[in-house]
C-alpha cells in the first residue's frame, strides 16, 4: 500500500448551493415573421455564420454548460445537425437536436422532454439572442446554484411605458389608461435559468400562452429573481436589430483582432 497522503477532499458546496450539472435548451424553431421573408430566423446569417451557431457558442462558452439541446424548426432538424457538424464548437459540450413546435412554449417543452437525466439546472435561451456575453450566462447559473428556482437577466427600461386599452376598431387610436412606475419595471432577456424540477413542473401545469418561461414559474407561486442583463443580449426581432447585431459583432471582431 502506498504511503502517499490522500489528496484533500474537494471543497463542500456552501450550504444552499448545488454543483448540479447544467444544460441549455435553445428554442430555435420560430419563423422570424417580424424580421421579414427568408429562412427560419435562427438559420439566417449574422457575420456570415447562422444566428443559431452564435447562440450555441454563447451557451457553450460557459464552462458550466455541458449539454445544449437545440430545438430546430419542425422540418429543419436534419439541416441543424448538418450545421453542428460544419461549425467549430467546444468538444467538452454535448449536443442534441429535436424538432420544435408551433409556439415558443411548445418548443421549449419539446426540448425539456428530450433532456437526459443528470442535468438539474436548465437554461432556456432564445436562438434570437445570439450575442449574450458569457458573464451573463454565468451569473444566471450562479444564482440558480445559490438556490433560486428561477432567474432572469433584466435591464431597466429606457422609455416610459403606457398601458393602453385596445383600439375600438383597427386603425383607431388606443386610449392610454395608465403610466406604470418605470423604476419598478424591467425588460427581461435570456438565458433564463431554472432548477430543472421547477421548470418541468411549470411546463406540466401552466396551460396559458405565455411569452417567457419565468412567468410560468411565477404562476406556480414561486419567486423569480433577477440578475443584471446586458445590452448585447438583445433579441433580434426586426430588421434594425440585425443591423445592430452586425455592428456589435464587427466591433467584437475588431477588438479581438480578427
Ligand atoms: N414556434 C416557435 C416560435 C419561436 N421559437 C423560438 O423562440 C425564440 C424567441 O422567439 P421570437 O424572437 O419571437 O422568434 P419568432 O417566433 O421566430 O419571431 P416572429 O414572432 O417574428 O415570427 C426564437 O429563438 C425562436 O426561434 C421556437 O423555438 N418555436
Ligand atoms: C423570452 C423572451 O425573450 C424574454 O424577453 C421574450 O419574451 C420572447 O418573446 P417573443 O415575442 O416570443 O420573441
Amino acid at each position: 500500500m502506498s504511503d502517499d497522503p490522500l489528496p484533500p477532499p474537494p471543497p463542500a458546496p456552501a450550504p444552499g448551493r448545488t454543483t448540479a450539472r447544467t444544460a441549455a435548451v435553445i428554442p430555435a424553431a420560430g419563423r422570424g415573421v417580424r424580421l421579414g421573408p427568408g429562412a427560419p430566423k435562427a438559420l439566417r446569417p449574422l457575420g456570415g455564420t447562422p444566428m443559431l451557431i452564435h447562440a450555441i457558442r454563447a451557451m457553450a462558452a460557459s464552462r458550466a454548460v455541458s449539454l445544449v439541446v437545440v430545438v430546430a424548426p419542425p422540418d429543419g432538424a436534419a439541416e441543424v445537425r448538418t450545421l453542428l457538424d460544419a461549425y467549430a464548437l467546444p468538444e467538452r459540450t454535448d449536443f442534441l437536436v429535436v424538432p420544435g413546435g408551433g409556439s415558443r412554449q411548445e418548443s421549449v417543452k419539446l426540448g425539456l422532454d428530450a433532456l437526459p437525466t443528470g442535468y438539474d439546472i436548465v437554461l432556456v435561451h432564445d436562438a434570437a439572442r445570439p450575442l449574450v456575453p458569457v458573464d451573463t450566462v454565468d451569473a444566471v447559473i450562479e444564482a440558480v446554484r445559490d438556490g433560486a428556482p428561477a432567474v432572469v437577466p433584466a435591464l431597466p427600461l429606457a422609455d416610459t411605458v403606457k398601458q393602453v386599452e385596445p383600439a375600438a376598431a383597427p386603425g383607431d387610436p388606443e386610449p392610454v389608461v395608465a403610466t406604470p412606475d418605470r423604476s419598478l419595471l424591467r425588460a427581461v432577456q435570456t438565458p433564463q435559468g431554472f432548477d430543472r424540477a421547477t421548470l418541468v413542473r411549470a411546463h406540466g401545469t401552466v396551460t396559458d400562452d405565455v411569452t417567457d418561461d419565468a412567468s410560468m414559474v411565477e404562476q406556480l407561486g414561486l419567486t423569480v429573481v433577477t440578475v443584471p442583463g446586458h445590452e448585447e443580449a438583445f433579441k433580434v426581432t426586426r430588421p434594425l436589430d440585425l443591423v445592430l447585431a452586425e455592428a456589435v459583432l464587427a466591433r467584437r471582431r475588431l477588438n479581438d483582432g480578427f
Side-chain angles (χ1 to χ4, degrees), residues 27-35 41 71 101-104 107 126-128 235-237:
R31 290 285 335 158
V33 172
R34 289 169 287 178
L35 196 56
K41 181 162 67 182
V71 188
S103 68
R104 183 184 183 283
S107 293
D126 295 333
K235 186 153 70 67
V236 175
T237 305

Side-chain angles (χ1 to χ4, degrees), residues 29 37 43 60 117 126 131 136 140 142 173 200:
L43 306 183
T117 54
D126 295 333
L131 299 178
T136 308
V140 170
E142 274 304 299
V200 167

Side-chain angles (χ1 to χ4, degrees), residues 124-140:
V124 181
H125 181 61
D126 295 333
R129 295 183 189 269
L131 299 178
V132 61
V134 68
D135 287 354
T136 308
V137 182
D138 284 336
V140 170

